[in-house]
Amino acid sequence: MISLGKAQSTLRTDTMNAAQQLAAMPVAEVVVDRAIVLDWYDGPLEGFARLAAVEAVWHFRVIAERTGGDLPDDRLYQFSQVVATDALDRLDEALGGAPDDPLWIPEWAFPDHAARQHADRLVADLIDHAAGQRVIIRSVDLRLVDALWVTTGKIANGIQ
């Protein structure tokens, strides 16, 4: 059960999917608990994340951004739920372990070619199986979520 605001109303989360749970929460409670960032340019562009509010792992990527000159970029991220709930643990193992920072950008350096192939295949497989619920998150750097929307199907320009 989630408690919402001062009215102390509660929602039945046992029958809601992860996207519905997120949409029902105050946006201030939607926090990226942990992320493995695979692509970065002035902030995270793509990777995998766990949101503290729900028991799910998500593949995320930037689908739109607005640059603000000297201000940080304002970005829209598509979060697609990953079927494998142990995805972050599997990535940690393949990438040699994660530091304490909740937003980790691995170096992508491996002891041998086989280890790199294993990591590449794991990432591709997790992305291919990120077909669960989708949400759009507006954020500058994923440390603070400014807004959240649940998608209702395919996103424009064929992005799924």
Side-chain angles (χ1 to χ4, degrees):
M1 298 284 226
I2 301 172
S3 175
L4 292 181
K6 296 178 182 174
Q8 296 299 318
S9 63
T10 56
L11 297 171
R12 290 189 47 91
T13 59
D14 56 335
T15 59
M16 299 171 73
N17 65 43
Q20 291 168 328
Q21 289 177 40
L22 290 169
M25 298 173 58
V27 72
E29 292 180 17
V30 179
V31 176
V32 175
D33 180 49
R34 186 150 171 259
I36 297 175
V37 179
L38 302 176
D39 194 8
W40 179 280
Y41 183 78
D42 290 341
L45 297 176
E46 182 176 14
F48 293 90
R50 181 179 60 223
L51 301 173
V54 296
E55 293 295 322
V57 175
W58 306 82
H59 170 253
F60 69 86
R61 65 179 168 156
V62 169
I63 58 170
E65 69 181 319
R66 179 176 46 211
T67 57
D70 292 338
L71 300 173
D73 295 347
D74 189 16
R75 292 179 167 161
L76 294 180
Y77 292 89
Q78 174 183 294
F79 273 63
S80 301
Q81 189 174 352
V82 176
V83 175
T85 56
D86 65 343
L88 292 178
D89 295 332
R90 291 169 58 195
L91 285 166
D92 283 345
E93 184 178 327
L95 299 173
D100 292 334
D101 189 349
L103 195 65
W104 179 39
I105 308 160
E107 293 181 24
W108 216 255
F110 301 92
D112 55 45
H113 184 68
R116 181 186 176 116
Q117 281 186 318
H118 170 69
D120 288 342
R121 279 193 305 270
L122 176 59
V123 167
D125 184 56
L126 291 172
I127 291 171
D128 287 346
H129 291 92
Q133 295 294 311
R134 293 184 180 93
V135 295
I136 303 299
I137 289 180
R138 180 176 164 225
S139 178
V140 171
D141 59 7
L142 291 183
R143 295 190 188 272
L144 176 66
V145 174
D146 298 313
L148 180 140
W149 300 269
V150 176
T151 65
T152 56
K154 285 191 175 185
I155 298 175
N157 298 326
I159 297 172
Q160 298 183 19

